[in-house]
Amino acid sequence: MRPQRLLLLCLYVLYARADEHEHTYDDKEEVVLWMNTVGPYHNRQETYKYFSLPFCVGTKKSISHYHETLGEALQGVELEFSGLDIKFKDDVLQTSYCEIDLTKGKKEAFVYAIKNHYWYQMYIDDLPIWGIVGEADENGEDYFLWTYKKLEIGYNGNRIVDVNLTSEGKVKLVPNTKVQMSYSVKWKKSDVRFEVRFDKYLDPSFFQHRIHWFSIFNSFMMVIFLVGLVSMILMRTLRKDYARYSKEEEMDDMDRDLGDEYGWKQVHGDVFRPSSHPLMFSSLIGSGCQIFAVSLIVIIVAMIEDLYTERGSMLSTAIFVYAATSPVNGYFGGSLYSRQGGRRWIKQMFIGAFLIPAMVCGTAFFINFIAIYYHASRAIPFGTMVAVCSICFFVILPLNLVGTILGRNLAGQPNFPCRVNAVPRPIPEKKWFMEPAVIVCLGGILPFGSIFIEMYFIFTSFWAYKIYYVYGFMMLVLVILCIVTVCVTIVCTYFLLNAEDYRWQWTSFLSAASTSIYVYMYSFYYYFFKTKMYGLFQTSFYFGYMAVFSTTLGIMCGAIGYMGTSAFVRKIYTNVKID
């Protein structure tokens, strides 16, 4: 008889879980209310388990919840069963479900939470609900706890399409008293379709504001102007250069020696010389190409699928796409390293494969210590760390190896249009504003100017309580950023080569990558003037992950700038006759 009971229990659990995942219910069927996290309103990432506060649990038997996705585990989702008895289409009048024995310690915990504006989050059928723990009186002397959760659930057919919570039952916190916690459930028929039930959480007035449209239009006009300007200047200037060089070809040797030769043609024997530190340079280019591929694919997927409707789905998708696009990193990094004459290709492959994961995991590891000290739900479990490391070693590294081998064999031959001189040409003195360091510092201003309005919307969606859903805008901004970056680096490289300085590889990369410096500086402005964050945990979380975001953005921009500039340099030296 026992095996039969066990089988029935397993079938029941599977059936109950299938309903929550498929979002369909029969009448009187159980609906689970999950308690997620609690934390200060102004510190969105500083969250703790709901029952870390001395709330009491309902009488119903507990149901355990496992992290269903890697993204859910990394984002600190800590679902715990509320113990409340809720059944589909079954109204519940106000009912007491537990009692808090309010000792002095528990009272102080609630007072601290109320002083810091603690909010909590719950889930019903994957729909998030937020409620406030309590409030203080005007003088800040007495503190009150909301003890009555009034749930109103909308349904359409056999699906839940809307959930609202009203907090009532304000009770003054007095030590050594009993506090009754109660709830009620009201089911209401709704006309909201299941497919659009998340629309109530979106904020069109914020994301589709005229400023957003105007910023896109402004950036687009800047692109047209910049492309036109670059095309006009370079076409006219290059035409004059070609005409001058063709005249020089017709001169005899004595006239050519006496002539005043200058310009980018003079460095033809050094322009394709391998860059300094080719191993690191090729690893950065490969990583940047991979980040660009990940950004493009994730944005396209987000435009097609509503990833914001599933907990942690955006992060899970990004991790999966990053792992799957590892051959892109290996191909571009490995082929570039081979063309530059590099021989330690295995070392280059390892550095390219682990450059971004090491930076992200290193930052997460540091922040994790603080999260553990705070007992925050953002502390990454050991099992999740093992899973991430396994992805790095058993998925990213082998795929990177495949890409590296393909890159070395298919595009690893140095087919430059000009021979490289055995002895490097001395670099002449030039004006201070033509120095690579100055070009690098100024190169990131225009790319940052094309994206900084979008940065505000992205920051607000991540660090505040907004759901980002306008991925069409993000795709446009990515395209605009690529065009602006390539145009700026081409102009910078042209002026550098015209000054007979052939150190263009690192200059083109860093002038585009300097966009990240301006983004990180903007994050300081956003933190101090647009948020009310406080505390060691939230501050370290903010600046740590903003550094990661800015660096990855910089590596992506640098790779885009280098690839565009490389094509330009190859093109101009192919079209000129060189003895």
Side-chain angles (χ1 to χ4, degrees), residues 224-237:
I224 294 174
F225 173 74
L226 195 60
V227 170
L229 188 66
V230 168
S231 303
M232 185 179 70
I233 291 174
L234 291 185
M235 288 300 177
R236 292 185 64 183
T237 309

Side-chain angles (χ1 to χ4, degrees), residues 156-370:
N156 190 342
N158 61 349
R159 293 174 180 268
I160 294 173
V161 294
D162 186 29
V163 182
N164 291 298
L165 171 70
T166 306
S167 297
E168 296 181 1
K170 192 163 68 171
V171 173
K172 184 178 177 181
L173 292 172
V174 179
N176 304 316
T177 57
K178 306 280 187 182
V179 178
Q180 294 285 338
M181 302 296 290
S182 60
Y183 79 106
S184 68
V185 182
K186 176 72 175 176
W187 292 87
K188 295 182 75 173
K189 195 169 183 179
S190 174
D191 296 327
V192 176
R193 289 183 294 111
F194 179 79
E195 294 75 19
V196 296
R197 64 178 188 157
F198 267 87
D199 286 3
K200 66 173 283 189
Y201 299 103
L202 309 180
D203 191 353
S205 62
F206 177 75
F207 284 105
Q208 297 181 28
H209 195 273
R210 283 181 300 173
I211 292 174
H212 205 169
W213 284 103
F214 179 75
S215 69
I216 297 292
F217 177 75
N218 190 42
S219 299
F220 185 69
M221 293 305 294
M222 185 174 75
V223 164
I224 294 174
F225 173 74
L226 195 60
V227 170
L229 188 66
V230 168
S231 303
M232 185 179 70
I233 291 174
L234 291 185
M235 288 300 177
R236 292 185 64 183
T237 309
L238 287 172
R239 194 179 294 117
K240 288 180 181 178
D241 290 342
Y242 286 134
R244 180 162 54 86
Y245 293 145
S246 63
K247 283 181 182 178
E248 288 171 2
E249 293 294 333
E250 296 169 2
M251 296 178 185
D252 56 24
D253 292 339
M254 186 174 291
D255 289 337
R256 197 178 301 158
D257 291 338
L258 294 172
D260 185 18
E261 289 189 351
Y262 66 92
W264 52 267
K265 184 186 174 185
Q266 308 312 312
V267 294
H268 65 83
D270 298 275
V271 74
F272 294 108
R273 188 177 300 283
S275 63
S276 58
H277 310 291
L279 190 145
M280 191 50 138
F281 183 72
S282 54
S283 299
L284 285 167
I285 297 299
S287 297
C289 293
Q290 184 184 6
I291 294 166
F292 174 72
V294 171
S295 304
L296 192 66
I297 294 168
V298 170
I299 291 172
I300 291 170
V301 170
M303 288 169 66
I304 298 168
E305 297 286 335
D306 294 332
L307 295 180
Y308 56 82
T309 61
E310 297 284 340
R311 289 185 299 269
S313 58
M314 177 61 79
L315 186 56
S316 300
T317 304
I319 293 170
F320 173 78
V321 173
Y322 184 86
T325 53
S326 295
V328 174
N329 187 338
Y331 181 87
F332 286 99
S335 61
L336 178 61
Y337 187 62
S338 179
R339 286 197 300 273
Q340 296 202 343
R343 298 185 180 277
R344 295 179 295 171
W345 68 273
I346 294 178
K347 185 177 180 182
Q348 186 277 324
M349 180 202 66
F350 271 93
I351 291 174
F354 294 127
L355 186 66
I356 300 297
M359 179 183 65
V360 175
C361 292
T363 306
F365 193 67
F366 166 72
I367 295 171
N368 209 45
F369 276 116
I370 302 173

Side-chain angles (χ1 to χ4, degrees), residues 54-59 95-103 106 110 145 147 177-182:
F55 287 113
C56 54
V57 192
T59 54
T95 305
S96 176
Y97 62 89
C98 68
E99 187 178 74
I100 301 173
D101 187 6
L102 200 64
T103 60
K106 290 181 179 179
F110 279 125
L145 183 71
T147 62
T177 57
K178 306 280 187 182
V179 178
Q180 294 285 338
M181 302 296 290
S182 60

Side-chain angles (χ1 to χ4, degrees), residues 29 79 108 191 262 347 349 408 446 538 554 559:
E29 190 174 344
L79 300 190
E108 287 174 354
D191 296 327
Y262 66 92
K347 185 177 180 182
M349 180 202 66
R408 288 178 60 82
L446 278 178
Q538 184 67 29

Side-chain angles (χ1 to χ4, degrees), residues 263-264 427-442 488-504 507-508 511:
W264 52 267
I427 298 170
E429 289 186 6
K430 48 189 175 292
K431 293 181 179 179
W432 65 270
F433 54 82
M434 296 303 295
E435 290 292 337
V438 178
I439 291 173
V440 164
C441 292
L442 299 178
V488 168
T489 49
I490 285 175
V491 171
C492 292
T493 301
Y494 175 77
F495 287 131
L496 189 74
L497 294 176
N498 228 26
E500 298 179 23
D501 189 338
Y502 51 82
R503 299 171 296 178
W504 65 274
T507 305
S508 63
S511 62

